[in-house]
Amino acid sequence: MATIALIGSNLTLIGASHNLVVHSLLKESQGAGFGFFEFSIVGICLLLASFLYIFFIGRYLLPHRQKLDNPRNSTVTANLIQEYDLKNKLFEAWVSTDLEGKHLSIAALDLYGKYGLDLLEVVREGSKFVALDDFDLQSGDTLLLKGTEQAAKDFCEYYSGITYMGPPRAQEKYPISSAELAEAVVPPRSPVMGKTPKEINFREDYSLTVIGYYRDGKPHASYAQDVKLKEGDGLLFYGPRNAIRDFEPTKEILIYYKPGIPEVSAKKEILAPLATAILLAVVVVSVADLVPISVAAIGGATLMVLAGIINPAKAYDAIDWKIIVLIGGMYPLGIALVQSGTADMIGDGLVNVLGGYGALIVMAGISLLTMILTQPIHNAVVAIIMTPIAINAAELMGSNPRAFCIAVMVSCSSTFLMSVGHPAPLMVQIPGNYNAVDYIKFGLPLNIIAMAVILIIIPLFWPL
């Protein structure tokens, strides 16, 4: 996954930050940068070759890892059921045909007041509802109750049209398929302190039910709706998946922990076509060269925020300021390499040593040096250093600077031997339990493949 992400950066000009760095330096030097898809053919060839290597060879070079359970089937919900001691406090009741023609509302049942039971949901013809007080039961409905077993039995015995069914089947998976559990903590000075969950109207306003609370190191599952909240209380919410995911209280009110793998909420799904249109517009405007890529990208991001697709705080948090500062601080280095004559000196050295073998070997030397540097150093920084050198070497050889710059871009993306040169290989290190030797065994052939693509494909489309 990490290697394909790195290789995929060679498909478009905006695939990676180092592409834009090389593009900018080339434009300053030669008067014209790269087109949006100009070097995509190189990325496609490298991607296909890497797929073949990974499928037939690479996967056998990595140690076998035990397959992990799908986190959707094993994480937050099951843990919270155990943590709040709910395993034997969930029961089902079935509404029989005896109730047909009669009107029985949830309010009339007084489940909570008489029996201390929480009605979590009603299942009707395969659909599931968060039943409020004005919800009328119908024959064939199944009620999901939370409380003590005796209370559930007492309730069903009182109403002749309601039959006690016992605990839900496959309780270990409850309620992943249709709803979820989530936890929140009451922070200091929260305005909800001193109020009960019933008074806050979580159920009416957000379709969420507080079915338990955690206080003084102990879980409490009974009469959770009536407890006056204190600082540090943990609240266990139950609700439909969309309601759980859409609930976003401020941290001053509740510190809320959404469960499982982040998902797109129903509200955001509606905006998906608009987000796609904005992305396509950015690409079209960039390809047509109507405005600079930076302007198109910032404009697209601004539209995303204004349309409510992403809120400003999340957009701000998504910016990696360390990388921006790093690139901004290092960019003058590339200019200094040119103006101080250092790029000429290094380029002269490469040409003096390798120039007798031809431009292709000089390009290979620059690519190899770039690949070595980009293993421990961020690829954007390496691009800043190597692009002026590559342009100077190409000019000294009377060769094509664009070809040399594409070689630098592909080499900068070949961060396969170490985990520290780019976030992608670092992100998979812990989940895959990879060590330094794993990276070298798996990555070295990929570097060789990348070098082969540079030396074969680039000269075909950009003659040296």
Short mmCIF file of all heavy atoms in Angstrom, two decimals, residues 4 11 19 69 76 142 150 225 289 312 366 382 420 459:
data_model
loop_
_atom_site.label_atom_id
_atom_site.label_comp_id
_atom_site.label_asym_id
_atom_site.label_seq_id
_atom_site.Cartn_x
_atom_site.Cartn_y
_atom_site.Cartn_z
N ILE A 4 2.80 1.65 -3.37
CA ILE A 4 1.92 2.06 -4.46
C ILE A 4 1.54 3.53 -4.31
O ILE A 4 1.42 4.26 -5.30
CB ILE A 4 0.66 1.18 -4.51
CG1 ILE A 4 1.04 -0.27 -4.82
CG2 ILE A 4 -0.32 1.69 -5.54
CD1 ILE A 4 1.79 -0.45 -6.11
N LEU A 11 1.93 10.04 -11.28
CA LEU A 11 0.89 10.04 -12.31
C LEU A 11 0.46 11.44 -12.71
O LEU A 11 0.04 11.66 -13.85
CB LEU A 11 -0.33 9.25 -11.82
CG LEU A 11 -0.09 7.74 -11.60
CD1 LEU A 11 -1.32 7.10 -11.01
CD2 LEU A 11 0.30 7.07 -12.90
N ASN A 19 6.98 17.02 -6.77
CA ASN A 19 6.69 17.29 -8.18
C ASN A 19 6.54 18.79 -8.42
O ASN A 19 7.04 19.33 -9.41
CB ASN A 19 5.41 16.58 -8.60
CG ASN A 19 5.53 15.07 -8.61
OD1 ASN A 19 6.62 14.54 -8.37
ND2 ASN A 19 4.44 14.38 -8.87
N ASP A 69 -8.22 -9.28 12.79
CA ASP A 69 -9.67 -9.21 12.60
C ASP A 69 -10.05 -7.87 12.02
O ASP A 69 -9.38 -6.85 12.24
CB ASP A 69 -10.39 -9.40 13.94
CG ASP A 69 -10.21 -10.81 14.48
OD1 ASP A 69 -9.98 -11.72 13.65
OD2 ASP A 69 -10.29 -10.97 15.71
N VAL A 76 -14.72 -1.14 19.17
CA VAL A 76 -15.30 -0.31 20.22
C VAL A 76 -16.58 -0.89 20.78
O VAL A 76 -16.78 -0.92 21.99
CB VAL A 76 -15.54 1.11 19.66
CG1 VAL A 76 -16.21 1.98 20.69
CG2 VAL A 76 -14.21 1.71 19.24
N THR A 142 -40.60 -5.74 17.07
CA THR A 142 -39.68 -6.29 18.06
C THR A 142 -39.05 -5.15 18.83
O THR A 142 -38.53 -4.20 18.22
CB THR A 142 -38.58 -7.15 17.40
OG1 THR A 142 -39.18 -8.23 16.69
CG2 THR A 142 -37.61 -7.70 18.43
N GLN A 150 -35.45 -9.54 35.04
CA GLN A 150 -36.71 -9.63 35.75
C GLN A 150 -37.64 -8.49 35.36
O GLN A 150 -38.84 -8.68 35.18
CB GLN A 150 -36.47 -9.61 37.26
CG GLN A 150 -37.71 -9.91 38.09
CD GLN A 150 -38.33 -11.26 37.74
OE1 GLN A 150 -37.63 -12.28 37.72
NE2 GLN A 150 -39.63 -11.28 37.48
N GLN A 225 -30.81 7.56 32.70
CA GLN A 225 -31.47 8.78 32.22
C GLN A 225 -31.68 9.80 33.33
O GLN A 225 -31.83 11.00 33.05
CB GLN A 225 -32.83 8.42 31.60
CG GLN A 225 -32.75 7.60 30.33
CD GLN A 225 -32.27 8.43 29.15
OE1 GLN A 225 -32.49 9.63 29.09
NE2 GLN A 225 -31.59 7.78 28.24
N ASP A 289 -4.37 25.13 -17.90
CA ASP A 289 -3.41 26.18 -17.57
C ASP A 289 -4.07 27.56 -17.56
O ASP A 289 -3.48 28.56 -17.98
CB ASP A 289 -2.24 26.16 -18.57
CG ASP A 289 -0.98 26.81 -17.99
OD1 ASP A 289 -0.89 26.91 -16.75
OD2 ASP A 289 -0.12 27.23 -18.78
N PRO A 312 -13.75 24.66 8.66
CA PRO A 312 -12.45 25.34 8.66
C PRO A 312 -11.45 24.74 9.64
O PRO A 312 -10.26 24.67 9.34
CB PRO A 312 -12.82 26.78 9.04
CG PRO A 312 -14.24 26.94 8.61
CD PRO A 312 -14.87 25.60 8.83
N ILE A 366 22.68 10.97 -11.56
CA ILE A 366 21.84 11.92 -10.82
C ILE A 366 20.69 11.19 -10.15
O ILE A 366 20.34 11.47 -8.99
CB ILE A 366 21.34 13.02 -11.78
CG1 ILE A 366 22.49 13.93 -12.18
CG2 ILE A 366 20.21 13.83 -11.14
CD1 ILE A 366 22.13 14.96 -13.22
N VAL A 382 15.00 17.01 -0.99
CA VAL A 382 15.93 16.45 -1.96
C VAL A 382 15.68 17.04 -3.34
O VAL A 382 16.63 17.33 -4.09
CB VAL A 382 15.80 14.91 -2.00
CG1 VAL A 382 16.71 14.32 -3.07
CG2 VAL A 382 16.14 14.31 -0.64
N VAL A 420 11.81 6.44 7.27
CA VAL A 420 11.82 7.81 7.79
C VAL A 420 11.77 8.88 6.70
O VAL A 420 11.56 10.05 6.99
CB VAL A 420 13.07 8.05 8.66
CG1 VAL A 420 13.03 7.16 9.88
CG2 VAL A 420 14.35 7.81 7.86
N PRO A 459 13.93 8.37 -21.90
CA PRO A 459 14.55 8.73 -23.20
C PRO A 459 13.65 8.47 -24.41
O PRO A 459 13.81 9.12 -25.45
CB PRO A 459 15.79 7.84 -23.25
CG PRO A 459 16.10 7.51 -21.83
CD PRO A 459 14.76 7.41 -21.18
#
